[in-house]
Amino acid sequence: MKIDMPEIKNFIEAFVEEDIAAGGQFEGMQVHTRFPPEPNGYLHIGHCKALCIDFGTAEKFGGICNLRMDDTNPTKEDTEYVEAIKEDIHWLGFDWDDRFFYASQYFDKMYECAEELIKKGLAYVCELTAEQMREYRGDLTTPARSPFRDRPIEESLDLFRRMRAGEFPNGAMTLRAKIDLASGNFNMRDPAIYRINHMPHHATGNKWCIYPMYDFAHPIEDAMECITHSLCSLEFEAHRPLYNWVVEHCDLPSKPRQIEFARLGINYTVMSKRKLRLLVEEGRVSGWDDPRMPTLCGLRRRGYTPKSIRNFCERIGVAKAASTVEYAFLEHCLREDLNETASRVMAVLKPIRLTVTNYPEGHSEIFQVENHPNYPEMGTREITFSRDLWIEADDFMEEKVGKFFRLFPGNEVRLKGAYVVKCTGFNKDENGNITEVLCEYDPNSRGGDPADGRKVKSTIHWVDAHTCADAEVRLYSNLFTDPDPDGADKNFLDCLNPESLEILTGCKVEACLIDTKAPAAFQFMRLGYFCPDKDSTAQRPIFNRSVSLKDSYKPAQ
């Protein structure tokens, strides 16, 4: 079947096209990739790049992609993470149909391969401790060594079977591949391929007390699933010779090709699952889905959209060289999406009362305002107007300073969608704090345009004090103050931003927002893009700021 190929945009796609072309390694075969997360934490934005590459490459070539849980290490794995990973991938818009696997499904095959290597003289049981292994590893001019390398095949086979039977404690022995102790690639200096670990596995229970090392397990898993292209991050480039060695020397149904790409780095964040877990366990954040976290569940709770994240991953490209992307670019991609899709509403975060002194007491009227200025098809909504309003405290000054064109005594502003009002004064409490701004409205300016055509320089947002709702609003900033909190000689915990979360209470929002639920998105006019938090209720509306209106991202020239 002829496939209409997309325009080649990166080196991975070029390799794949070459492989499936006439004479290629996978001529006539369907492109088959896999996404193999370890279920010991939640997916973060760094995983998302790999996820988009794995699933996206398969999509572009009319192929398929498996989802496989890399559960070869039972120490920190949990079914909670498995379900969270599935949810995140579905949320991004990818699916694996019935191609969901666990690495542990292949434990029997991996054990069979290990015995096969022993019988071929290509693996041996080594009794060096972890400290001795490091001591005997050698350096660039000195080969590694092991006094057990020439152990007879029958003896290694017997010991390996006794390892499986549970006769030895953790750390007593390993099974090592017999490759090249003098190799310039230290991954090939007789690497350990099995270790003892007396710990129950979430899927296999107590069946095993020995577990395969990742570098041994992964190529077997790929080969068993007939993966054509094993796409992985750049740190595995030096492991590729071992990957190929395992595929070459074990009896497996296919021979996948490993291709590496640079991992995603973003400033002002960390993407080590160990460090993210520490933030959660020490209570530095509220959980894995804290909106300041780079996890997908955290980004989702903050109001990021699947489109914005996939667009971000697509636009940063696929490269071999490691680089760091600005967090501001991720925000830029979200802002682009929400600018097109988010309904406009009015909310007042730091309210001060505005009294329209010449408006009839007890009277109110209804205005129809658009939900989006550029898309009439998004409809309109009703807002009420009365004598008693709320405005932002920052929209008033006792005395004008500089180019301030909002409310100050004697100045006119347009109340969005309603009337033009003129400031006539203000009131203060006994401490000198302004408690109320006074104004008069122009009855001939309904909708915001004065009948006499006079120019009004500023428009401000507002809400009706009689119909609005109180809400809690959470303003998020970068979790770290340092653009490189993971840098050398730094403790990332010392770089935490104590002002990364500001909680505002007593905010005033339009009545239409009371019953909204995530994943709704709104532009609070003049303030930014916001979404209801997962814990928001009609009795206690809570909104998270997804991103500000101001775009700090400056693309490279």
Side-chain angles (χ1 to χ4, degrees):
M1 179 180 69
K2 184 178 183 299
I3 299 175
D4 293 324
M5 299 301 303
E7 178 185 355
I8 299 301
K9 296 181 180 179
N10 62 60
F11 72 93
I12 290 178
E13 294 174 13
F15 283 147
V16 173
E17 184 183 44
E18 177 184 291
D19 286 344
I20 63 176
Q25 179 180 352
F26 304 114
E27 177 184 356
M29 295 176 60
Q30 184 180 39
V31 173
H32 197 164
T33 61
R34 83 291 170 268
F35 178 61
E38 188 176 358
N40 63 353
Y42 286 72
L43 295 185
H44 54 62
I45 188 67
H47 296 118
C48 191
K49 176 181 178 180
L51 194 158
C52 288
I53 290 173
D54 289 328
F55 280 92
T57 300
E59 280 186 359
K60 289 177 182 178
F61 288 89
I64 52 178
C65 182
N66 295 359
L67 174 59
R68 180 202 309 141
M69 297 296 148
D70 176 28
D71 60 343
T72 56
N73 181 1
T75 307
K76 294 182 179 179
E77 294 162 359
D78 196 287
T79 52
E80 170 194 350
Y81 301 132
V82 173
E83 296 307 313
I85 289 168
K86 289 180 177 180
E87 181 182 0
D88 285 340
I89 297 174
H90 272 143
W91 175 69
L92 281 173
F94 296 113
D95 200 5
W96 52 88
D97 297 324
D98 60 347
R99 297 180 306 280
F100 175 73
F101 303 96
Y102 286 97
S104 54
Q105 293 175 228
Y106 308 111
F107 279 174
D108 287 299
K109 179 62 179 180
M110 294 171 193
Y111 181 83
E112 177 187 312
C113 289
E115 283 208 356
E116 177 188 353
L117 291 176
I118 296 172
K119 292 172 183 177
K120 290 179 178 178
L122 295 175
Y124 60 94
V125 170
C126 179
E127 297 178 50
L128 292 177
T129 65
E131 293 75 16
Q132 289 171 326
M133 289 270 279
R134 286 189 290 270
E135 180 185 348
Y136 293 175
R137 192 167 182 237
D139 54 34
L140 291 175
T141 58
T142 306
R145 56 195 174 90
S146 169
F148 305 99
R149 196 170 198 261
D150 295 323
R151 170 169 265 157
I153 289 174
E154 295 75 13
E155 186 179 335
S156 280
L157 193 60
D158 175 65
L159 286 172
F160 187 54
R161 289 171 177 171
R162 291 167 63 191
M163 286 168 59
R164 178 183 180 176
E167 291 188 26
F168 308 111
N170 291 353
M173 298 176 181
T174 59
L175 181 67
R176 297 176 65 176
K178 192 173 186 179
I179 305 178
D180 181 2
L181 289 177
S183 175
N185 184 339
F186 279 60
N187 296 297
M188 300 295 280
R189 292 191 173 189
D190 288 13
I193 58 176
Y194 260 93
R195 79 285 200 197
I196 302 171
N197 187 352
H198 290 272
M199 185 171 187
H201 189 279
H202 75 93
T204 60
N206 293 308
K207 179 179 178 180
W208 299 93
C209 61
I210 57 171
Y211 292 96
M213 304 297 285
Y214 179 86
D215 280 346
F216 180 65
H218 196 73
I220 295 173
E221 296 156 22
D222 285 346
M224 292 301 293
E225 294 173 17
C226 295
I227 300 301
T228 58
H229 296 88
S230 182
L231 311 177
C232 57
S233 47
L234 199 58
E235 67 265 31
F236 291 104
E237 184 173 37
H239 298 247
R240 193 195 322 147
L242 179 54
Y243 182 102
N244 293 337
W245 185 90
V246 173
V247 170
E248 183 67 30
H249 291 92
C250 293
D251 182 18
L252 298 168
S254 69
K255 297 183 182 299
R257 176 182 182 179
Q258 179 175 301
I259 303 174
E260 308 85 14
F261 57 86
R263 298 178 69 174
L264 172 61
I266 302 180
N267 63 4
Y268 292 102
T269 192
V270 297
M271 283 189 279
S272 156
K273 277 194 286 188
R274 179 183 60 83
K275 292 179 178 179
L276 294 177
R277 185 183 296 109
L278 189 64
L279 292 175
V280 174
E281 292 174 349
E282 290 194 355
R284 310 285 186 138
V285 294
S286 63
W288 286 98
D289 66 346
D290 187 300
R292 294 167 292 180
M293 292 278 275
T295 53
L296 291 185
C297 57
L299 292 170
R300 180 164 66 247
R301 185 175 178 183
R302 187 160 173 171
Y304 274 78
T305 62
K307 180 179 178 181
S308 66
I309 293 176
R310 290 183 64 166
N311 190 32
F312 169 75
C313 291
E314 181 71 25
R315 290 165 69 176
I316 60 175
V318 180
K320 269 284 192 183
S323 62
T324 301
V325 181
E326 293 180 54
Y327 192 91
F329 182 55
L330 178 59
E331 294 181 318
H332 173 78
C333 292
L334 175 62
R335 197 177 285 111
E336 278 188 336
D337 187 22
L338 295 182
N339 183 52
E340 296 293 309
T341 60
S343 295
R344 274 52 171 170
V345 294
M346 291 191 285
V348 177
L349 303 191
K350 298 179 180 179
I352 187 171
R353 187 172 290 277
L354 177 69
T355 302
V356 188
T357 57
N358 65 333
Y359 195 85
E361 290 193 46
H363 181 67
S364 68
E365 56 189 305
I366 294 175
F367 288 87
Q368 291 285 336
V369 294
E370 78 278 358
N371 289 326
H372 198 297
N374 300 327
Y375 300 105
E377 61 273 19
M378 291 182 66
T380 61
R381 68 187 186 284
E382 292 183 347
I383 58 172
T384 61
F385 181 88
S386 72
R387 176 187 175 91
D388 304 306
L389 310 174
W390 294 104
I391 62 169
E392 293 287 350
D394 291 345
D395 283 339
F396 173 76
M397 295 183 71
E398 294 182 55
E399 296 181 7
K400 178 183 178 181
V401 176
K403 296 181 179 180
F404 184 83
F405 298 113
R406 284 163 281 166
L407 280 175
F408 56 87
N411 193 46
E412 287 187 320
V413 299
R414 183 183 294 104
L415 297 180
K416 172 66 179 176
Y419 290 107
V420 171
V421 298
K422 182 177 183 179
C423 181
T424 58
F426 54 90
N427 293 318
K428 293 184 176 182
D429 62 17
E430 61 276 10
N431 297 317
N433 300 311
I434 296 171
T435 58
E436 180 182 32
V437 178
L438 306 175
C439 71
E440 294 180 350
Y441 85 114
D442 177 358
N444 296 315
S445 62
R446 182 178 169 86
D449 295 318
D452 60 9
R454 67 184 185 276
K455 301 297 182 182
V456 179
K457 289 187 175 181
S458 185
T459 300
I460 66 173
H461 61 278
W462 55 277
V463 293
D464 186 346
H466 295 290
T467 59
C468 69
D470 282 354
E472 178 181 306
V473 174
R474 299 169 181 176
L475 305 179
Y476 295 98
S477 303
N478 288 330
L479 187 56
F480 297 95
T481 56
D482 192 316
D484 184 22
D486 233 356
D489 302 321
K490 294 179 186 177
N491 181 343
F492 76 108
L493 294 176
D494 294 336
C495 303
L496 283 168
N497 178 9
E499 300 177 353
S500 60
L501 170 60
E502 181 182 4
I503 300 177
L504 304 178
T505 57
C507 303
K508 312 296 181 180
V509 300
E510 285 187 37
C512 67
L513 293 174
I514 294 176
D515 290 323
T516 56
K517 300 292 183 184
F522 302 95
Q523 185 194 103
F524 287 3
M525 294 175 60
R526 302 173 62 225
L527 299 174
Y529 294 98
F530 294 76
C531 70
D533 186 72
K534 69 172 188 177
D535 295 330
S536 182
T537 64
Q539 293 72 37
R540 185 178 172 235
I542 304 171
F543 293 91
N544 300 325
R545 183 172 66 186
S546 307
V547 67
S548 65
L549 289 179
K550 185 178 180 181
D551 195 341
S552 61
Y553 175 69
K554 299 291 189 295
Q557 300 297 317

